Amino acid sequence: MPDIRLDTLTASAAARAIREGRLSAEALLDACLARIARFNPALNALVTVDTAGAREAARAADRQLGAGGPVPPLLGVPVSIKDVFATRGLRTTASFRPLADYVPAADATLVARLRAAGAVIVGKSNLPELAGAPHCWSPLFGPTHNPWNPALTPGGSSGGAAVAIAAGFSLLEAGSDLAGSIRIPAAYCGVAGFKATENRIPRTGHIPHLPAHLGGARTVRHMLSLGVLALSVADLRLGYGLIAGPDGIDTEVPPRATSPVPPLPAGKPLRLALWDDFGLPLCERTRAGLAGMAGRLETAGHRVERGTPPGLDPEQLRELFGLIGGAEIGLGLPPWQRAFFLGVRHLLPPSERLVKAIARGLRYDMRAYSRALNARDEAIGRLEAFLSGFDALLCPVATTVAYSGRPMGRFARPPTLTVAGCRLPYMEATIGLTTPFSVSGHPVAALPIGVEDGLPVGVQVVGRRWQEDALLAVAAHIESAVGGFVAPPLSC
């Protein structure tokens, strides 16, 4: 087996090496499987490993390359799939007990597109039940551990996905993001993540909604976006370009394909807005990471201006997330579970604003729901107007870096987190800075910006709606100026 450095190998570099005959798909797979065998028992990032299927696909990739002809862009590259996407012939659980033995007959659209691009699917990554939490504790498989410190959470819901990338189990991962589920794990684990504009990537085959045999019907119509996690912006661009666009099934995906933009000139200075005041405290590591990022960007010749989009109130945006999310997610809950959450909402303290907003959404007040959607439209317009004057908006991902993780069942009361000396409700501390851009549906790249006192810090890079390629071009320049992925201790 050749010496393959999976702690730094990108999907783009691997695809190029296979295409040029410098690396075989089977040798690369062997290296990934060896790494999984070594580290996954402790990290618990992958909950299903398809050794036989992956080996068959890798050998087929090598045969295809030897036969000549067109080479798919991901030929022979090992990828993993968040266990919320249907995978043909491979167990798909969404960490939901009724789906513990579910084996779909068809791939999710996103998965089918990765297979068509030549990817080798290594396995499925861990997540909380039905992707419904910002941590990564599964009632079926237990917790996933952060590769920087196993006592800390990797974040969620795409926690297993981020760990799989950081640990070198796979080179590209498919994820989904309703409230920060790609962005938060990317930041906590020090990798890159990208959520596209809402409705840019088909959600066909994503759970929830539940499969037909469980009577599932689609209820979530807003704020859910799909995307990818990887080591570099180049890999985000590669993966996104393969999975975006209509599939003829998800009718809310617009019928136009993505439109690539030329790379920005190497010397072109960026004009970037930095918004870090969301009405919530930030931990010292996060503040130090943002300050260091701004300094490196300015040293590289870019312009960073502190600013807040006029007319946008982060607290109101979090309220809108709760009202819209509560109404739509609640439609998929069993009646007894919805009644339980409605019953306990009166017991919540006033500080639990986000959870109380979700509970209000569960009342199914159509007037309140309609008002929330109208307010959402207004917020989208205001953020779009602000972004028209900048290349991108920079924001922290969360109030804190990775924190101590502990198992949390469905009805366990989430802990409060102490951030900069302030005790914050769990939801505000974790998703309070990501949900504003879930509400607006804007594309966001989460990039690592450094390691502070032993833990990675990330930043959200927000671009204009439907302008993913332009945003990723800006993100590549930021990555170049700030520095990209740093391998965590457990993956070295």
Side-chain angles (χ1 to χ4, degrees), residues 380-438:
I380 289 171
R382 288 180 173 174
L383 185 52
E384 280 287 284
F386 179 78
L387 285 168
S388 67
F390 294 91
D391 291 297
L393 171 64
L394 307 178
C395 305
V397 176
T399 63
T400 179
V401 295
Y403 54 91
S404 179
R406 63 177 177 83
M408 282 186 261
R410 180 186 297 176
F411 300 111
R413 184 184 178 91
T416 57
L417 299 181
T418 300
V419 179
C422 301
R423 292 179 64 82
L424 291 182
Y426 183 68
M427 287 300 190
E428 275 76 2
T430 52
I431 66 174
L433 309 186
T434 49
T435 49
F437 308 110
S438 299

Side-chain angles (χ1 to χ4, degrees), residues 33-49 124 143-145 160 163-164 167 169:
L33 291 175
R35 204 161 177 84
I36 292 168
R38 180 180 178 187
F39 293 113
N40 196 54
L43 295 176
N44 195 32
L46 298 182
V47 296
T48 298
V49 179
K124 308 294 288 289
T144 295
H145 302 283
V163 175
F169 299 165

Side-chain angles (χ1 to χ4, degrees), residues 142 151 258 379 458:
T258 62

